[in-house]
Every structure is written in C-alpha cells, then in structure tokens.
Amino acid sequence: MKDSGNCRDIRIFTCNSNRPLAEKIVKKLDGIIKSYEESFECEKIKDITLGKSDVSRFQDGEISLKIHESIRECDVYLIQSTSNPVNDNLMELLIMIDAVKRASAKRITAVIPYYGYARQDRKVRARDPISAKLVSNLLTSAGADRILTMDLHSAQIQGFFDIPLDNLRGMPLFSHYYKNKFDNFDDIIVVSPDLGSVSRSRALAEKLNVNLAIIDKRRPKDDVTEVVNIIGKVKGKKAIIIDDEIDTGGSIINASNALIEKGVTDVYVCCTHGKFSGNAIEKIEKSGISEIVTLDTINVDTKNSEKLKILSVDEMFALAIYRIHGGMSVSDLFE
Ligand code: R5P
C-alpha cells in the first residue's frame, strides 16, 4: 500500500444505526490490509478493530457519547447510516464528528452507507426546504473532512458539499448477482421505475446487455405514487426493476402491477437502500413481485420475508476506506 506521505493510524467507529454492517466492514478491511501486508509501509497499523465508544441516551433523551481510546492525529472513519429513526441517527453522527474533531483527529471521513433526507434535494413546491443541502451543511460544520456514501438519491447532491465525496454504486453488486442467477438474458428487460432512475437502470441494462424500458411515474402526494405510462416493449419479458430505495413499497408494487398487466411474466426488483417502512414487507409478500434483492446499507429485519435477499456492501466500503486511507484512487470500485 502506498502511504500518503503522512503515515497515520486508522480508526473506525460506529454509532447505533447499523452496527452489524460496521463490524463486517472492519473485518473485511482487516483482511484486506493483511493480504497486502508486504506492500504495506505504515508500521503503525496492525489489527483493525472497531474503535471503543458508547453512544447512549441521557434520561431526557439527549445523546451521550464517549470515546474510550486516543485518536490524536489519526485518520478516523465514522460509519453511520442516517436511516430511520433518521433524526436520532443524524444527530448521533454529528455529535460523534464533533467529539472526534475535538479529540484532535487528523482527518474525519463520515461513512454514510445510506444518506437520509436525500429526496428533499430541490424545491418542488413554493416554500419547500432543501433538506439534503441542510444536512450537508450540518455535516461539514460539525467537522467532517470527507464523505463516503452509496447511491445518493440524486448524483447532484455531491455538489451540495465543498469537501470531497465518494458516491459508491450498488449496481455492480446487482449485475454480478443477476449474471449468476440467469443463464439466458434473451427474455430479460431492465425497467427504470421512474425518470430519475434512468441512468442507473441504463447502466445495469448495459452490463447485462439487455434492453431498457421506462415507467412514467407520478407522485400526487408525499407517500403515494401512480404509473402513468410504460415506455418500451415489455410483453413476454422477465423484468428487473432497479431503484435507489424502497420506502413504503408503493412505487415498485405499482410498477410491478402495471408491468404484469402489460404481459410481463416475472418481476424481479433490486434496490440499494431497503427502508421498508410501515407494512411494506407485508405488502411486497402479497404482491406479484417474485424477488427483491437489496443491500445492507440499512439494517432491516427481514425474517418475515420469503422474497427478500440481502447482499452486503462490506467489501466495497472496506476497499474504499483502504484506498482513501492510502491515497489511492477509488474510481474503479464504481464499476
Ligand atoms: C423516488 O424517487 C425513489 O427513487 C423511490 O422510487 C421511492 O423513494 C420509493 O418510495 P416508495 O417505496 O414509498 O414508493
């Protein structure tokens, strides 16, 4: 590993939103560092373990945070998805950044596998907030030096930050999964569930070498969606819908119903961030969708689902942390 000139110790901490993923990332990173041992020039780094810290609550609900080891001059990575309960998880992350900054860390990277509030990225109606921008301001003001995340709801959120941001993609994990799942791609079509997902869907269609169809979706109310039209020939095909997130499940269930009505034989869904709010899993189980593949950027309880499969982002994040720490390029992880 090429040292970035200033050989600093690396420390990884997590808050409470997704401890299982943080543990898996750390284990992978430890394995990666050990497998590159010979070219690893930084003497300081031996075993990678999750840093010792406690994030709990005072009686009145305020967050209490303690870091039990020195991090002076270290390269620190804080893993926390800002998923439901989004306000608590965001606040834990901000307070953790503050603590780490005041403890004289050399550089702080907020590793946010799921970046919440991202759907509020522009003014749709008069007097709307742009909450995704507010969150970026909060993270930067708290002291984050860089951000590592995955499949931001819209790529332009990167521009809300004046610090470096790496936006990993879940698509390579999905294309790999489907290449192993199907022997024949002649009757497969990738479907974009809305206009905002077209470039992500096109990337998957290109990887699988299949055609793309697009759903024209409208959102008359915050949590309600409807399919207006399907652009492309879908009859007799197996459809793979790819979305950045599933929240109530309304979008993909409506899309699946509309596709089946147009003659699609099977509907497969993949999404990066499985939020599954309310009774989404129950609704999906009853729907015509055959299978949903999601990633573990959000820690969800999937034991009540026959249709859900979870793939891990652990290796991708571990490699990204390894490369950022070593001053190496992360761009080929996007493929
Ligand atoms: C919207 O633009 C997103 O890409 C998702 O399609 C949406 O957030 C899913 O929400 P729900 O599952 O509630 O329909």
Side-chain angles (χ1 to χ4, degrees), residues 119 153 193-194 197 200 217 219 223 225 243-252:
R119 284 186 292 183
H153 176 63
D194 52 38
S197 293
R200 181 181 302 112
K217 174 180 104 176
R219 191 179 276 282
D223 282 331
T225 59
D243 211 345
D244 60 324
E245 63 170 59
I246 296 174
D247 185 0
T248 63
S251 299
I252 48 138

Side-chain angles (χ1 to χ4, degrees), residues 144-158:
D145 295 303
R146 57 185 307 142
I147 307 288
L148 173 62
T149 186
M150 180 174 259
D151 280 336
L152 285 167
H153 176 63
S154 53
Q156 56 269 28
I157 292 173
Q158 293 173 77

Side-chain angles (χ1 to χ4, degrees), residues 75-94:
D75 187 21
V76 176
Y77 296 79
L78 306 176
I79 303 174
Q80 171 86 330
S81 280
T82 48
S83 49
N84 192 9
V86 54
N87 299 329
D88 283 359
N89 286 333
L90 175 61
M91 202 61 203
E92 282 186 2
L93 177 59
L94 293 170

Side-chain angles (χ1 to χ4, degrees), residues 116-132:
Y117 278 116
R119 284 186 292 183
Q120 297 174 39
D121 60 355
R122 64 199 182 286
K123 282 182 78 163
V124 178
R125 291 158 300 211
R127 299 174 293 282
D128 272 355
I130 304 184
S131 310

